[in-house]
Amino acid sequence: MLLLTNPTADDYAEHAGRQLVTVLSAELCRSEAVPMLLRLWIRDCPDMVASQQQTLADVAARFTTRLNLGVASIYTTQLGGQELAPGLRLPRVKAMTLAVAGRFVMLRTERDNGSLE
């Protein structure tokens, strides 16, 4: 039965897109993180980030490896550092996620400074 509920790579990409929207909204939409010129141009930063959820899911899929254990999978996503605009970089993130029984459980994350969460 668990074999049938092991989430697919597409399921994971969708999940990762939602997670990236949360992370990027928190990281990029802080007033001190966005240069003044961009703040004048971007009226609703969280909404702008949320509108890119599918693109973020596609990016996550490209930078993810899957260890398929049959009844569960372990996904490792490593991305970041790309420049989004002058002076504005995508934060580096490495995440390990367990997918089992139709659910995703974050096992470990590392961010820019190498700290574990």
Side-chain angles (χ1 to χ4, degrees):
M1 183 64 166
L2 280 178
L3 186 62
L4 298 175
T5 61
N6 184 0
T8 67
D10 288 341
D11 294 335
Y12 176 76
E14 188 176 315
H15 166 77
R18 287 190 304 271
Q19 294 298 109
L20 284 170
V21 164
T22 301
V23 168
L24 290 176
S25 291
E27 292 285 327
L28 298 177
C29 295
R30 299 184 327 253
S31 63
E32 66 273 5
V34 178
M36 177 61 118
L37 185 59
L38 283 177
R39 277 187 280 176
L40 293 172
W41 182 61
I42 300 170
R43 298 279 181 221
D44 187 352
C45 182
D47 188 50
M48 182 197 70
V49 173
S51 73
Q52 298 304 308
Q53 182 173 328
Q54 185 57 53
T55 301
L56 293 169
D58 294 343
V59 168
R62 282 191 309 217
F63 295 98
T64 296
T65 58
R66 178 185 186 191
L67 175 59
N68 188 348
L69 305 171
V71 296
S73 293
I74 297 177
Y75 291 92
T76 303
T77 303
Q78 189 167 355
L79 55 91
Q82 295 86 357
E83 190 170 65
L84 300 175
L88 188 60
R89 289 196 172 276
L90 188 62
R92 291 187 188 277
V93 176
K94 180 178 180 182
M96 290 182 66
T97 305
L98 174 66
V100 63
R103 297 219 178 258
F104 297 97
V105 178
M106 186 68 66
L107 298 176
R108 176 180 168 166
T109 62
E110 295 178 24
R111 293 182 111 162
D112 281 337
N113 61 5
S115 65
L116 297 179
E117 295 180 7

